[in-house]
Amino acid sequence: MLYESVAMNPSADLVNKLWRLCALLRKDGVTYQQYVTELTYLLFLKMASEQKDESRIPEQYRWGALKSASETDVLQRYKQALIDLGDGTKIADRSIVAIFQNAATIVREPANLRKLIDAIDGLHWFSDERDAFGDAYEGLLQKMAEETKRGAGQYFTPRALIEVMVRLMKPEPGEVIQDPAAGTGGFLISANSYMKEKTDDYFELSPKQQAFQLREALRGIENVPDTFRLLLMNLHLHAIDPDNLDLADTLSPRGSEAKFKNADLILTNPPFGPAGGPPTRDDLTITDRVASYQLPFVEHCIRALKLGGRAAVVVPDNVLFDDGRGKELRRRLMSWCNLHTILRLPTGIFYAQGVKTNVLFFTRSTEEAPMEDATKEVWIYDARSGAPPYGKTNPFRVSDLEAFVQAFGEDPNGASPRADQDESGRFRRFTRSEIAARGDNLDIIWLKDTSAEAEDGLETPEDIAAAIEGHLKTALEEIAALMAELEGDAVDVELPEAAE
């Protein structure tokens, strides 16, 4: 995720200090990825101490015990803590066990661990009103992306975008809210915070309603074990029960289980690129032979919504214009759902250079199989053309989308009064018949894009090479999709590794 300036966002200062601690472990041969993973165990224990929520952690493994341990004892105590906290026979709390399951330290020198604990303990921690743990972790991922020139491996959604999407979709207590690509829980945490703010921290709700909010309302799937661990940590620190979170592949049969159907609201940023094979679910009938993530995830969202449910989904540009299965999927989307709004996002707001994305806002029809298209018109807001280049020196902020928020209106289903701004403006209306005349291509551009590409400011050979690698991977993915369409089956393309 990207961050405001240090003056406006104290988490940026914290992240910088945490990142500098990496030097303590570099002499142990620790990689950046290993360091970030290691740090999350310590951060979780520290955050539990800060929030005075250590009752589910045995006293000998709490932050205070680690902090007071001698240098000769601290490493052995820490190793034993990681083992025992992940042992269901020793720890009664299932969420703690799930968080620390198979956890292990790569620290070899007790002195280094002692310095790391002391340094973390000496940092100034910011208000828990924000998603402190998520901010710290994802800020470290951003640092790792900048340091390694290769990106962090996953496109975590900028917090500013999460906030805007949640604000527009207006989650309500009593609704089932799902993220089928949950990551570290940014959308779920933000939706939970939004609802708590509207209900005096849920105190306005009955005990039964409160229990639903904390145990059943939020549901998610994450397929990467290390990220799933962080998701559990994040929700635990927000007092949310993890029972409706699964470590699984959404495109496998697990994603079609009952608890991931009939969602009132879906908020998600699915993975992009090749999936390593087509979905293994029987219900994804349109994208069943597509060996990439984005199209099957969109079909999942369409099918997982209850009748009348709504969604806001981040997708790459190719979802708007791909032929074959892509076109068939768009037709299904506009038939079963009211695709009322598309937001064309600026480039440079994700880790990878040149990633071009959009947000689809749609509402499932109240009919199981509508006799005619549920979409009558699509409104497109172009926040990309003429936008400034975003990146390390110019982070993406909520204020950058304020004009879009105003144009979108108050109704989460896109029914607020709207005004077409004509060819000189950013917000345009296109009827379903106009879109059909374009071959159902939704990649509609009317403004001249005078913005600089995100990589125009790159200077070092490593940065330029990383940008070239990103474009090559994108090109190969598009070739693979084309081959799959031509051959009538999925084709896997092995992507080359860039030289370090």
Side-chain angles (χ1 to χ4, degrees), residues 97-348:
V97 173
I99 286 168
F100 286 94
Q101 197 163 37
N102 301 318
T105 180
I106 40 79
V107 178
R108 297 199 299 263
E109 297 294 332
N112 287 340
L113 180 61
R114 174 81 274 147
K115 291 176 183 176
L116 200 59
I117 290 173
D118 290 345
I120 291 173
D121 193 64
L123 294 175
H124 173 69
W125 289 83
F126 46 96
S127 170
D128 62 2
E129 291 178 1
R130 288 181 56 82
D131 179 11
F133 182 83
D135 275 0
Y137 172 71
E138 288 160 14
L140 288 168
L141 280 184
Q142 173 69 16
K143 283 290 188 183
M144 184 172 70
E146 295 165 0
E147 192 71 28
T148 62
K149 317 297 184 187
R150 296 286 306 281
Q154 299 178 63
Y155 302 146
F156 289 89
T157 318
R159 188 163 308 279
L161 180 58
I162 289 176
E163 183 176 330
V164 168
M165 290 168 65
V166 170
R167 177 177 163 191
L168 294 177
M169 289 293 96
K170 294 181 168 54
E172 297 181 2
E175 292 187 324
V176 171
I177 301 168
Q178 180 193 135
D179 184 349
T184 59
F187 280 112
L188 298 177
I189 296 297
S190 183
N192 184 60
S193 298
Y194 179 93
M195 292 184 288
K196 290 179 72 174
E197 184 179 341
K198 298 292 184 182
T199 59
D200 189 22
D201 283 342
Y202 294 147
F203 285 117
E204 295 178 2
L205 306 181
S206 69
K208 183 177 180 180
Q209 290 171 323
Q210 291 179 26
F212 175 83
Q213 289 305 124
L214 297 176
R215 297 174 187 169
E216 299 183 52
L218 305 179
R219 307 185 183 188
I221 313 174
E222 174 53 46
N223 196 33
V224 180
D226 282 344
T227 307
F228 184 72
R229 185 194 306 278
L230 295 161
L231 170 64
L232 294 178
M233 288 180 177
N234 214 352
L235 294 189
H236 178 91
L237 291 171
H238 287 82
I240 298 170
D241 194 286
D243 278 356
N244 288 304
L245 300 167
D246 277 12
L247 175 61
D249 179 3
T250 299
L251 304 184
S252 75
R254 292 280 295 279
S256 61
E257 291 180 357
K259 65 180 175 181
F260 299 121
K261 293 182 177 180
N262 296 314
D264 293 280
L265 173 61
I266 293 178
L267 296 160
T268 191
N269 176 13
F272 309 157
T280 57
R281 284 169 54 172
D282 294 333
D283 62 329
L284 300 182
T285 57
I286 296 175
T287 59
D288 58 330
R289 290 181 290 168
V290 176
S292 66
Y293 285 112
Q294 50 266 32
L295 295 180
F297 262 94
V298 173
E299 184 172 1
H300 164 83
C301 293
I302 296 170
R303 295 183 180 279
L305 282 176
K306 68 183 295 185
L307 298 182
R310 61 200 186 283
V313 183
V314 180
V315 298
D317 273 10
N318 73 294
V319 171
L320 303 182
F321 60 75
D322 271 357
D323 282 330
R325 301 283 175 151
K327 180 186 289 188
E328 189 177 348
L329 181 65
R330 289 193 300 276
R331 287 174 174 167
R332 174 61 59 84
L333 172 61
M334 289 185 284
S335 172
W336 284 17
C337 305
N338 176 20
L339 174 62
H340 52 83
T341 313
I342 298 175
L343 168 63
R344 292 172 58 84
L345 290 166
T347 57

Side-chain angles (χ1 to χ4, degrees), residues 347-363:
T347 57
I349 66 174
F350 291 92
Y351 290 140
Q353 302 291 347
V355 173
K356 295 183 177 180
T357 55
N358 313 266
V359 183
L360 305 182
F361 297 89
F362 54 92
T363 303

Side-chain angles (χ1 to χ4, degrees), residues 449-474:
D449 190 358
T450 58
S451 62
E453 289 291 339
E455 53 262 40
D456 283 354
L458 302 180
E459 296 178 356
T460 68
E462 293 88 352
D463 285 337
I464 295 170
I468 293 172
E469 179 193 9
H471 287 299
L472 286 173
K473 284 186 175 182
T474 299

